[in-house]
Amino acid sequence: RRRATARPSSAPHERTDHFIFRLRVTMFACTTTSLTASAFAPTMPKTTAARRAPAHARTTPVRTHARLDSGVGCFGSKAGMTQMFTDDGLCVPVTVIGIREGNFVTMVKTEATDGYNAVQVGYDVVREDKLTKPEAGHCKKAGTPPMRHLEEFRLGSAPEHEVGARLVPTEMFKAGDKVDVRGATIGKGFQGAVKRYGFSRGLMTHGSKSHRQHGSIGAGTTPGRIYPGKRMHGHMGNDMTTVKGLTVMRVEDDCIIVKGNVPGKKGSLCKVTGTKIVGKSDGGASKAKKSQKVVVA
């Protein structure tokens, strides 16, 4: 039978020293926290009203550089691809971008009122019950029918458009113009590295166990981690992409036909603007400044 041995208790002075040590550590942590808070006190709002103040009422606004468009464009829906024959007899692959009812100016923003210049355009007229009450009220205030999509065209200079005006594609583009088309690419779901990035596959015979695996992702002990940005398997597609410099083949009231392909599947939203050339057609930014500073709340 084992003998029950009493565990020797620590001496009273050892317990007292440990308590004093923990007390000193706690006091040091509290002092460091108070010093840190006092160092940032001038930049942090002290009251709830100051923290909830709008952006234009703050003394130190946050500024960021906004991307500018070459000008005000229009929206359309990808109808599909076909081919056209030129006067020289060449067969050219083209994409038809259908124009549904819409392309109304719903809001005009200026640097004096909103801190930046932009024109908000609505597209794709729908029933009012398809939108939320704020969205439907916004369109009603602008004097336009309820529309599904609302997006801005940021400009470098003050816009001259009027709220409620309709944008006609035949007045904005003509055959031979260069345009940029922006849209969401076709979603491919979760894909491996071979399909997603074009990695080479392994051997399919001779006892190979790694046919379509991506291989090594890094060393072991050094660095002992995976570097950020490592190309691996994951979600593929459904990304916003801009195809630049497409040639307009034909423009009608209900469609725009461009040479080449545009991102997205049939029925996807396409944003058509004049091609953007830095220094020439960058929305007027090259005349005043390279980028526009926008106050962010």
Side-chain angles (χ1 to χ4, degrees):
R1 180 179 298 178
R2 293 183 178 179
R3 294 183 179 179
T5 57
R7 192 173 184 180
S9 58
S10 58
H13 64 277
E14 294 180 359
R15 293 196 300 268
T16 305
D17 295 342
H18 181 66
F19 175 76
I20 295 175
F21 173 75
R22 293 184 60 183
L23 182 61
R24 290 177 177 176
V25 171
T26 306
M27 293 177 62
F28 177 76
C30 295
T31 306
T32 306
T33 305
S34 61
L35 290 176
T36 305
S38 62
F40 290 96
T43 60
M44 296 175 59
K46 296 182 179 181
T47 61
T48 305
R51 288 194 298 267
R52 295 180 179 178
H56 60 81
R58 298 178 184 175
T59 56
T60 57
V62 181
R63 293 184 177 272
T64 182
H65 295 280
R67 170 183 171 180
L68 301 178
D69 295 307
S70 60
V72 179
C74 64
F75 293 95
S77 303
K78 182 177 179 179
M81 294 194 66
T82 182
Q83 59 186 14
M84 291 180 59
F85 289 91
T86 62
D87 298 336
D88 300 333
L90 298 178
C91 183
V92 179
V94 296
T95 301
V96 180
I97 302 176
I99 307 297
R100 299 176 181 175
E101 187 179 359
N103 284 322
F104 290 95
V105 178
T106 56
M107 192 174 185
V108 177
K109 296 184 178 181
T110 60
E111 192 171 358
T113 58
D114 299 276
Y116 64 98
N117 300 316
V119 175
Q120 186 186 81
V121 179
Y123 175 70
D124 194 4
V125 177
V126 294
R127 298 197 313 267
E128 187 174 353
D129 57 351
K130 293 288 186 179
L131 305 178
T132 61
K133 292 297 183 63
E135 292 174 344
H138 179 71
C139 296
K140 185 177 181 180
K141 181 180 179 181
T144 62
M147 291 171 288
R148 188 188 306 273
H149 304 287
L150 297 175
E151 191 168 343
E152 294 181 354
F153 294 88
R154 292 181 180 269
L155 306 175
S157 57
E160 299 178 355
H161 295 73
E162 297 181 357
V163 177
R166 183 174 183 179
L167 304 178
V168 183
T170 54
E171 299 177 358
M172 305 173 65
F173 307 104
K174 63 180 183 300
D177 291 348
K178 298 290 185 177
V179 295
D180 297 343
V181 181
R182 182 173 178 83
T185 59
I186 299 176
K188 303 294 184 178
F190 191 92
Q191 298 295 335
V194 175
K195 180 179 178 65
R196 193 181 184 192
Y197 296 107
F199 285 5
S200 300
R201 62 171 175 82
L203 296 176
M204 302 301 289
T205 57
H206 299 286
S208 174
K209 295 296 195 286
S210 56
H211 304 306
R212 294 176 63 88
Q213 296 181 2
H214 50 72
S216 174
I217 58 176
T221 305
T222 303
R225 62 188 181 91
I226 302 176
Y227 286 126
K230 181 66 178 178
R231 295 186 298 175
M232 301 176 66
H233 46 267
H235 185 268
M236 180 180 178
N238 197 23
D239 298 324
M240 295 302 297
T241 307
T242 303
V243 181
K244 299 183 178 181
L246 297 179
T247 304
V248 178
M249 303 297 294
R250 185 185 300 176
V251 182
E252 298 181 3
D253 294 335
D254 57 349
C255 69
I256 301 175
I257 303 177
V258 296
K259 180 180 178 180
N261 58 346
V262 301
K265 60 181 182 179
K266 293 183 179 179
S268 61
L269 181 67
C270 296
K271 180 180 179 181
V272 184
T273 58
T275 186
K276 182 177 179 181
I277 302 176
V278 178
K280 294 183 179 180
S281 59
D282 51 356
S286 59
K287 299 179 182 179
K289 47 189 175 180
K290 293 297 181 181
S291 58
Q292 185 181 11
K293 293 183 178 180
V294 179
V295 178
V296 179

